Amino acid sequence: MAKDIVHWDVEDTAFWEKDGKRIANRNLWISIPCLLLAFAVWLMWGMITVQMLNLGFPFSETQLFTLTAIAGLTGATLRIPASFMIGIAGGRNTIFLTTALMILPCVGAYVALQDMNTPLWEFQLYAFLSGIGGGNFANSMSNISNFFPKRQQGLALGLNAGLGNFGVTTMQILIPLVMTAAVFGSLAGDPMPLERSSGTLIGRIEAGTDTWIQNAALLWALLLIPASVAAWWGMNNLRSVTPEPGHPLAAFGKILGLYAVGLLAAAIGLYLYLPEPVGLDLLNMWLALPLIIVLTLVLMRLIPGGIQASLKKQFAIFGERHTWSMTVLYIATFGSFIGFSAALPLSIEVIFGYMAQTGADGTVERVANPDGPSALTYAWIGPFIGALIRPVGGWISDKVGGSIVTQLISAVMVVSSVAVGYVMMLAYGSASPQDYFWPFLLLFMLIFAASGIGNGSTFRTIGVIFDKTKKGPVLGWTSAVAAYGAFIAPRVMGDQIQAGNPEYAMYGFAAFYAVCLAVNWWFYLRRNAYIRNP
């Protein structure tokens, strides 16, 4: 089959029914597993760090939260250059190479996790490279948006993103299971004994039990190989979107150059942000993130060669006010989904795995809670709900309008965030925090469901507002900025937990969701704009 398609007009019903639908669906159903694996690789540190804590790796809770945050920041930063890859290098070329690149951090982590003496910087390096998986969301969504007509944008993008988001749930289910046995034979290496009781979906594992933590990384390396092959042989470049993709090797050079820019910007930002000895500890999070975003865009404009003509054309999205309003709204939806997915496992472990105990001198300290719930058992449920409901959000928005759905879910997220913050406060100061676990979990399930529906509604609105030349870059850009939630949420929740005020993190998120209510009303509902297809 032809890998480059010259004529592509999916708004023509006859063309869509004759050829377009078949080609579009094939590309979609190859894209989905590649994106699923990308999410798994990107966020696997949220689960790996829980077991590193149980195994007794010589790192503090804050350092372990930082591993998750590093992967989150790098993935978000890489989404900025990834937003523009499809128009420069072609869909097939981009999805193949960026999927194959994820094998590198998986193999590195597989080796590093077999040695308890592996230094922290090495784990930080592999977490850093795991961000490639986060970046891949932007190019995947940008690519699929070009294959479907406007009337099907909500469902198509909802399926790609929603089923792709199942990578979070898949990862959170499979990692605890594959760590319990040498499921990969001699490749699994030697086990390590648990220092603390842990848990999986099949029951609680007591201290002293052997665990193969390295399988948590090896699993994805093995699955990425057939996914990469499928992308190369089954996907297409659209010449109407990428007029000059060039030879595949030239296209690969463009992709690597764009990702190198993102990695460099993320590395500089992390160096200025992270504490010594890894970094300089000069900037706080709220200064580091804007610096990284601006630096990435500036470096992209300095890339020499023919890339500049395409970039200049695509950079026109920054002159559109809707680019900025939709970015804010997508931070609330996808940023919440991905941020809480990254932060929830270790938050459960720290808040409910320890209990408050008053000593003889009257001081209160936190000690291990033998009745605490296992993060590895429950953390997957929220991302599962959020991913499962995302296509539904897109489908409903196709019927009633994206901005109406966005307004409703923003209100739900304000209320539920305040409630879960209050429950976290009660649990953190309790001698029996497990009593508050189910209200905590159910409220978080509500937040995940609302964010999943909002993921579909906001992307549907973008698909209606922008034309085909701007739609893909806007989808990528908004997802890039929102993906910083995978960095912000673990850092904010980790810092507030360490300070003894976990509820402050959720109250802050609630305030942001209230701002989003105002933004959505002002730009869209106030003038009945983009409620239905124009």
mmCIF file of all heavy atoms in Angstrom, residues 352 369 371-373 423 426-427 430-440:
data_model
loop_
_atom_site.group_PDB
_atom_site.id
_atom_site.type_symbol
_atom_site.label_atom_id
_atom_site.label_comp_id
_atom_site.label_asym_id
_atom_site.label_seq_id
_atom_site.Cartn_x
_atom_site.Cartn_y
_atom_site.Cartn_z
ATOM 1 N N PHE A 352 -2.157 7.305 53.601
ATOM 2 C CA PHE A 352 -2.886 6.231 54.275
ATOM 3 C C PHE A 352 -1.987 5.103 54.763
ATOM 4 O O PHE A 352 -2.414 4.265 55.558
ATOM 5 C CB PHE A 352 -3.968 5.678 53.347
ATOM 6 C CG PHE A 352 -5.012 6.694 52.989
ATOM 7 C CD1 PHE A 352 -4.911 7.420 51.816
ATOM 8 C CD2 PHE A 352 -6.072 6.951 53.833
ATOM 9 C CE1 PHE A 352 -5.863 8.379 51.478
ATOM 10 C CE2 PHE A 352 -7.028 7.894 53.515
ATOM 11 C CZ PHE A 352 -6.921 8.619 52.329
ATOM 12 N N ASN A 369 1.368 2.374 59.088
ATOM 13 C CA ASN A 369 0.011 1.919 59.395
ATOM 14 C C ASN A 369 -0.181 0.502 58.868
ATOM 15 O O ASN A 369 -0.264 0.299 57.649
ATOM 16 C CB ASN A 369 -0.997 2.870 58.754
ATOM 17 C CG ASN A 369 -2.440 2.436 58.996
ATOM 18 O OD1 ASN A 369 -2.714 1.627 59.880
ATOM 19 N ND2 ASN A 369 -3.352 2.977 58.202
ATOM 20 N N ASP A 371 -2.707 -1.298 58.748
ATOM 21 C CA ASP A 371 -4.020 -1.482 58.112
ATOM 22 C C ASP A 371 -4.213 -0.558 56.912
ATOM 23 O O ASP A 371 -5.331 -0.421 56.409
ATOM 24 C CB ASP A 371 -5.130 -1.209 59.134
ATOM 25 C CG ASP A 371 -5.088 -2.173 60.302
ATOM 26 O OD1 ASP A 371 -4.858 -3.373 60.060
ATOM 27 O OD2 ASP A 371 -5.255 -1.715 61.455
ATOM 28 N N GLY A 372 -3.139 0.079 56.451
ATOM 29 C CA GLY A 372 -3.256 1.004 55.330
ATOM 30 C C GLY A 372 -3.555 0.294 54.024
ATOM 31 O O GLY A 372 -3.090 -0.827 53.788
ATOM 32 N N PRO A 373 -4.334 0.907 53.138
ATOM 33 C CA PRO A 373 -4.632 0.308 51.834
ATOM 34 C C PRO A 373 -3.405 0.340 50.941
ATOM 35 O O PRO A 373 -2.526 1.193 51.098
ATOM 36 C CB PRO A 373 -5.743 1.217 51.281
ATOM 37 C CG PRO A 373 -5.479 2.539 51.925
ATOM 38 C CD PRO A 373 -4.964 2.233 53.300
ATOM 39 N N VAL A 423 -11.148 15.684 53.218
ATOM 40 C CA VAL A 423 -10.960 14.290 53.636
ATOM 41 C C VAL A 423 -9.473 13.987 53.835
ATOM 42 O O VAL A 423 -9.086 13.293 54.791
ATOM 43 C CB VAL A 423 -11.582 13.330 52.603
ATOM 44 C CG1 VAL A 423 -11.220 11.880 52.921
ATOM 45 C CG2 VAL A 423 -13.090 13.490 52.560
ATOM 46 N N LEU A 426 -8.361 15.247 57.205
ATOM 47 C CA LEU A 426 -8.788 14.379 58.300
ATOM 48 C C LEU A 426 -7.927 13.118 58.370
ATOM 49 O O LEU A 426 -7.534 12.678 59.466
ATOM 50 C CB LEU A 426 -10.260 14.002 58.121
ATOM 51 C CG LEU A 426 -11.284 15.136 58.195
ATOM 52 C CD1 LEU A 426 -12.687 14.602 57.907
ATOM 53 C CD2 LEU A 426 -11.235 15.838 59.553
ATOM 54 N N ALA A 427 -7.637 12.529 57.223
ATOM 55 C CA ALA A 427 -6.871 11.282 57.202
ATOM 56 C C ALA A 427 -5.439 11.499 57.659
ATOM 57 O O ALA A 427 -4.881 10.674 58.409
ATOM 58 C CB ALA A 427 -6.887 10.693 55.788
ATOM 59 N N SER A 430 -5.027 11.548 61.420
ATOM 60 C CA SER A 430 -5.774 10.520 62.143
ATOM 61 C C SER A 430 -4.894 9.356 62.566
ATOM 62 O O SER A 430 -3.925 8.997 61.887
ATOM 63 C CB SER A 430 -6.926 10.006 61.273
ATOM 64 O OG SER A 430 -7.578 8.911 61.882
ATOM 65 N N ALA A 431 -5.287 8.726 63.665
ATOM 66 C CA ALA A 431 -4.621 7.499 64.112
ATOM 67 C C ALA A 431 -5.130 6.291 63.345
ATOM 68 O O ALA A 431 -4.563 5.197 63.440
ATOM 69 C CB ALA A 431 -4.857 7.300 65.607
ATOM 70 N N SER A 432 -6.207 6.453 62.587
ATOM 71 C CA SER A 432 -6.740 5.373 61.750
ATOM 72 C C SER A 432 -7.138 5.971 60.392
ATOM 73 O O SER A 432 -8.321 6.068 60.069
ATOM 74 C CB SER A 432 -7.940 4.706 62.409
ATOM 75 O OG SER A 432 -8.926 5.679 62.753
ATOM 76 N N PRO A 433 -6.162 6.386 59.587
ATOM 77 C CA PRO A 433 -6.467 7.058 58.313
ATOM 78 C C PRO A 433 -7.254 6.193 57.345
ATOM 79 O O PRO A 433 -7.953 6.717 56.476
ATOM 80 C CB PRO A 433 -5.081 7.403 57.751
ATOM 81 C CG PRO A 433 -4.139 6.465 58.442
ATOM 82 C CD PRO A 433 -4.713 6.255 59.800
ATOM 83 N N GLN A 434 -7.166 4.870 57.492
ATOM 84 C CA GLN A 434 -7.894 3.985 56.586
ATOM 85 C C GLN A 434 -9.403 4.200 56.669
ATOM 86 O O GLN A 434 -10.132 3.876 55.717
ATOM 87 C CB GLN A 434 -7.555 2.516 56.856
ATOM 88 C CG GLN A 434 -8.037 1.972 58.182
ATOM 89 C CD GLN A 434 -7.072 2.241 59.335
ATOM 90 O OE1 GLN A 434 -6.097 2.986 59.169
ATOM 91 N NE2 GLN A 434 -7.327 1.630 60.486
ATOM 92 N N ASP A 435 -9.891 4.791 57.750
ATOM 93 C CA ASP A 435 -11.329 5.054 57.884
ATOM 94 C C ASP A 435 -11.813 6.077 56.850
ATOM 95 O O ASP A 435 -13.006 6.133 56.541
ATOM 96 C CB ASP A 435 -11.648 5.585 59.286
ATOM 97 C CG ASP A 435 -11.408 4.540 60.369
ATOM 98 O OD1 ASP A 435 -11.276 3.351 60.025
ATOM 99 O OD2 ASP A 435 -11.331 4.929 61.555
ATOM 100 N N TYR A 436 -10.892 6.872 56.340
ATOM 101 C CA TYR A 436 -11.254 7.926 55.395
ATOM 102 C C TYR A 436 -10.910 7.555 53.948
ATOM 103 O O TYR A 436 -11.108 8.359 53.045
ATOM 104 C CB TYR A 436 -10.524 9.229 55.753
ATOM 105 C CG TYR A 436 -10.850 9.733 57.129
ATOM 106 C CD1 TYR A 436 -10.007 9.449 58.209
ATOM 107 C CD2 TYR A 436 -11.992 10.486 57.360
ATOM 108 C CE1 TYR A 436 -10.297 9.904 59.486
ATOM 109 C CE2 TYR A 436 -12.295 10.952 58.638
ATOM 110 C CZ TYR A 436 -11.446 10.653 59.692
ATOM 111 O OH TYR A 436 -11.751 11.110 60.950
ATOM 112 N N PHE A 437 -10.400 6.339 53.762
ATOM 113 C CA PHE A 437 -9.903 5.992 52.431
ATOM 114 C C PHE A 437 -11.005 5.926 51.388
ATOM 115 O O PHE A 437 -10.839 6.437 50.268
ATOM 116 C CB PHE A 437 -9.146 4.661 52.481
ATOM 117 C CG PHE A 437 -8.648 4.234 51.119
ATOM 118 C CD1 PHE A 437 -7.638 4.931 50.488
ATOM 119 C CD2 PHE A 437 -9.218 3.145 50.462
ATOM 120 C CE1 PHE A 437 -7.184 4.553 49.229
ATOM 121 C CE2 PHE A 437 -8.776 2.759 49.209
ATOM 122 C CZ PHE A 437 -7.752 3.466 48.591
ATOM 123 N N TRP A 438 -12.127 5.312 51.695
ATOM 124 C CA TRP A 438 -13.157 5.151 50.668
ATOM 125 C C TRP A 438 -13.802 6.479 50.271
ATOM 126 O O TRP A 438 -14.034 6.707 49.080
ATOM 127 C CB TRP A 438 -14.195 4.121 51.118
ATOM 128 C CG TRP A 438 -13.662 2.729 50.947
ATOM 129 C CD1 TRP A 438 -13.265 1.867 51.921
ATOM 130 C CD2 TRP A 438 -13.398 2.064 49.704
ATOM 131 N NE1 TRP A 438 -12.776 0.701 51.386
ATOM 132 C CE2 TRP A 438 -12.843 0.792 50.013
ATOM 133 C CE3 TRP A 438 -13.565 2.412 48.368
ATOM 134 C CZ2 TRP A 438 -12.475 -0.118 49.035
ATOM 135 C CZ3 TRP A 438 -13.195 1.501 47.385
ATOM 136 C CH2 TRP A 438 -12.656 0.257 47.726
ATOM 137 N N PRO A 439 -14.097 7.387 51.217
ATOM 138 C CA PRO A 439 -14.546 8.713 50.759
ATOM 139 C C PRO A 439 -13.501 9.405 49.882
ATOM 140 O O PRO A 439 -13.842 10.028 48.874
ATOM 141 C CB PRO A 439 -14.772 9.483 52.068
ATOM 142 C CG PRO A 439 -15.061 8.420 53.082
ATOM 143 C CD PRO A 439 -14.221 7.252 52.688
ATOM 144 N N PHE A 440 -12.232 9.280 50.266
ATOM 145 C CA PHE A 440 -11.142 9.848 49.471
ATOM 146 C C PHE A 440 -11.134 9.272 48.062
ATOM 147 O O PHE A 440 -11.084 10.000 47.061
ATOM 148 C CB PHE A 440 -9.813 9.557 50.178
ATOM 149 C CG PHE A 440 -8.578 9.780 49.344
ATOM 150 C CD1 PHE A 440 -7.977 11.022 49.285
ATOM 151 C CD2 PHE A 440 -8.015 8.725 48.630
ATOM 152 C CE1 PHE A 440 -6.828 11.226 48.522
ATOM 153 C CE2 PHE A 440 -6.866 8.915 47.870
ATOM 154 C CZ PHE A 440 -6.279 10.174 47.806
#
